[in-house]
């Protein structure tokens, strides 16, 4: 954030509330190995499935990852409760981060992965040029994106949400954004939804979500529109902003992989089904998003149930 005191507060709150305790952390280009002493995370990884030789052999991409010895994942390290680097331990923690560990375990027999930090602007390029094997980054499946990359899943159903500064009037409907300055991340699903449902809104775009939050704190916008998990995580850590009531639109999250790699898509979808059936998906949700979003874990979406998946 803009001030050092704000940064220290966010770090302290982060350490207090985001406690997935997963595998050893990664920064851009870093590698994660078998996790340490956190019993909850260790138990989850102990129970995580590992692909058979026949399942690996059915996907040349999975075999190549196995031979390489680590999984390359495109992800964020600054999205609370989804995938964020713990400033104290260096570990990547959150719902998406845990799924990445479980996928690495499935392929390699251990949760060894390299995280390549990415943004909505470059995700497709990283997949297309094989810099990453998969992107797990609250990546909304759309038919337009599916022309460039393939999507396994969906693995989560979200919606767009609105954050405002505390004390500001609540925004209950997307129409309430008309005439307001709305902060969005360039290339995000939220930007398109705002354009469609609130055409009189003045959009102000930034490259990253933290830039949107900073602009909201500084009064440069009236509202910030982003996926519910992202905003829920930010409001958990930031006592200056609030989650407005209600969500709008439907955002199915998928795992982005190279277009045309049907064998790897089938492989990843098979893994998703296994972790859902084993209750691991539900546990990962409960220990991250479930600490903020009330109620029991939702039912995982049916694999292949949306256009583009």
């Amino acid at each position: 954030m803009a001030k050092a005191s704000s940064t220290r507060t966010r770090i302290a709150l982060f350490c207090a509330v985001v406690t997935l305790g997963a595998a050893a952390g990664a920064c851009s280009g870093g590698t994660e190995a078998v996790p340490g002493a956190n019993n909850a995370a260790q138990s989850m990884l102990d129970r995580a499935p590992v692909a058979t030789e026949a399942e690996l052999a059915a996907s040349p991409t999975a075999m190549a990852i196995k031979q390489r010895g680590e999984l390359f994942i495109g992800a964020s390290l600054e999205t609370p409760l989804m995938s964020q680097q713990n400033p104290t331990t260096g570990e990547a923690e959150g719902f998406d981060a845990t799924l990445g560990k479980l996928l690495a375990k499935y392929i390699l027999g251990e949760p060894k992965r390299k995280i390549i930090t990415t943004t909505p602007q470059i995700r497709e390029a990283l997949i297309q040029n094989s810099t990453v094997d998969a992107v797990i980054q609250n990546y909304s499946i759309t038919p337009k994106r599916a022309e460039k990359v393939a999507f396994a899943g969906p693995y989560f159903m979200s919606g767009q949400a609105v954050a405002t500064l505390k004390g500001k009037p609540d925004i209950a409907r997307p129409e309430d954004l008309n005439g307001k300055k709305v902060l969005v991340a360039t290339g995000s699903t939220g930007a398109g939804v705002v354009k469609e449902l609130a055409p009189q809104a003045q959009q102000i775009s930034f490259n990253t979500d933290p830039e949107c939050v900073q602009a909201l704190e500084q009064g440069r916008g009236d509202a910030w529109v982003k996926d519910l998990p992202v905003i829920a995580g930010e409001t958990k850590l930031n006592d200056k902003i609030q989650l407005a009531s209600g969500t709008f639109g439907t955002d199915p999250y998928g795992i982005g992989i190279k277009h045309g790699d049907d064998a790897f898509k089938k492989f990843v979808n098979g893994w998703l089904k296994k972790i859902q059936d084993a209750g691991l998906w539900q546990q990962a949700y409960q220990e991250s998003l479930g600490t903020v979003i009330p109620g029991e874990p939702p039912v995982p979406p049916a694999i292949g149930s949306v256009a583009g998946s």
Side-chain angles (χ1 to χ4, degrees):
M1 294 300 108
K3 296 180 180 180
S5 61
S6 175
T7 299
R8 288 195 296 270
T9 299
R10 287 169 54 79
I11 290 175
L13 285 169
F14 179 89
C15 295
V17 301
V18 184
T19 55
L20 264 178
C27 55
S28 180
T31 298
E32 292 196 76
V34 180
N38 185 285
N39 292 332
Q42 185 67 47
S43 175
M44 189 188 304
L45 288 167
D46 280 344
R47 295 187 294 113
V50 176
T52 65
E53 290 298 325
E55 288 167 334
L56 287 167
S59 169
T61 298
M63 284 296 296
I65 296 167
K66 176 78 171 179
Q67 293 166 2
R68 182 199 303 145
E70 62 184 349
L71 173 67
F72 294 169
I73 295 179
S76 168
L77 286 173
E78 53 188 22
T79 306
L81 302 185
M82 294 298 285
S83 183
Q84 185 177 45
Q85 189 172 29
N86 185 306
T88 301
T89 66
E91 296 178 356
E93 301 174 335
F95 184 59
D96 282 350
T98 298
L99 294 186
K101 296 180 181 83
L102 294 173
L103 179 56
K105 169 78 181 290
Y106 187 63
I107 297 172
L108 302 166
E110 59 179 334
K112 190 175 182 182
R113 63 180 186 170
K114 176 184 287 185
I115 291 180
I116 310 297
T117 54
T118 185
T119 66
Q121 296 87 353
I122 64 172
R123 287 183 294 206
E124 281 84 16
L126 293 179
I127 295 170
Q128 291 168 339
N129 63 24
S130 299
T131 300
V132 299
D133 302 307
V135 168
I136 307 178
Q137 188 191 19
N138 48 279
Y139 197 1
S140 301
I141 301 172
T142 68
K144 184 176 181 180
R145 288 173 177 170
E147 295 175 0
K148 300 178 181 179
V149 300
F151 286 101
Y155 69 89
F156 185 76
M157 296 298 289
S158 179
Q160 292 301 301
V162 178
T164 62
L165 287 176
K166 284 188 176 178
K168 298 292 184 180
D170 192 15
I171 296 175
R173 305 170 303 163
E175 292 84 358
D176 296 336
L177 296 169
N178 282 312
K180 293 183 171 61
K181 295 180 179 179
V182 181
L183 308 167
V184 296
T186 303
S188 67
T189 304
V193 173
V194 171
K195 183 178 181 180
E196 177 184 356
L197 300 181
Q200 279 76 54
Q202 179 186 344
Q203 290 197 34
I204 303 174
S205 299
F206 294 91
N207 288 329
T208 67
D209 295 326
E211 290 176 286
C212 291
V213 175
Q214 184 178 48
L216 183 63
E217 290 182 337
Q218 294 171 346
R220 290 187 280 156
D222 301 302
W224 169 40
V225 173
K226 187 68 177 180
D227 304 2
L228 172 61
V230 177
I231 287 186
E234 189 61 43
T235 58
K236 179 77 171 183
L237 305 177
N238 189 328
D239 59 5
K240 296 180 180 179
I241 66 175
Q242 64 186 2
L243 177 66
S245 62
T247 60
F248 51 93
T250 301
D251 279 336
Y253 290 175
I255 296 174
I257 61 175
K258 184 166 285 189
H259 197 277
D261 193 345
D262 294 337
F264 191 50
K265 178 177 176 178
K266 182 178 180 180
F267 177 88
V268 176
N269 279 335
W271 159 77
L272 272 175
K273 184 66 166 57
K274 287 185 179 183
I275 65 169
Q276 290 170 4
D277 291 346
L280 299 172
W281 183 97
Q282 294 83 347
Q283 183 178 346
Y285 174 93
Q286 196 64 50
E287 294 179 2
S288 54
L289 296 170
T291 65
V292 174
I293 302 172
E296 295 297 316
V299 176
I303 294 168
S305 60
V306 301
S309 64

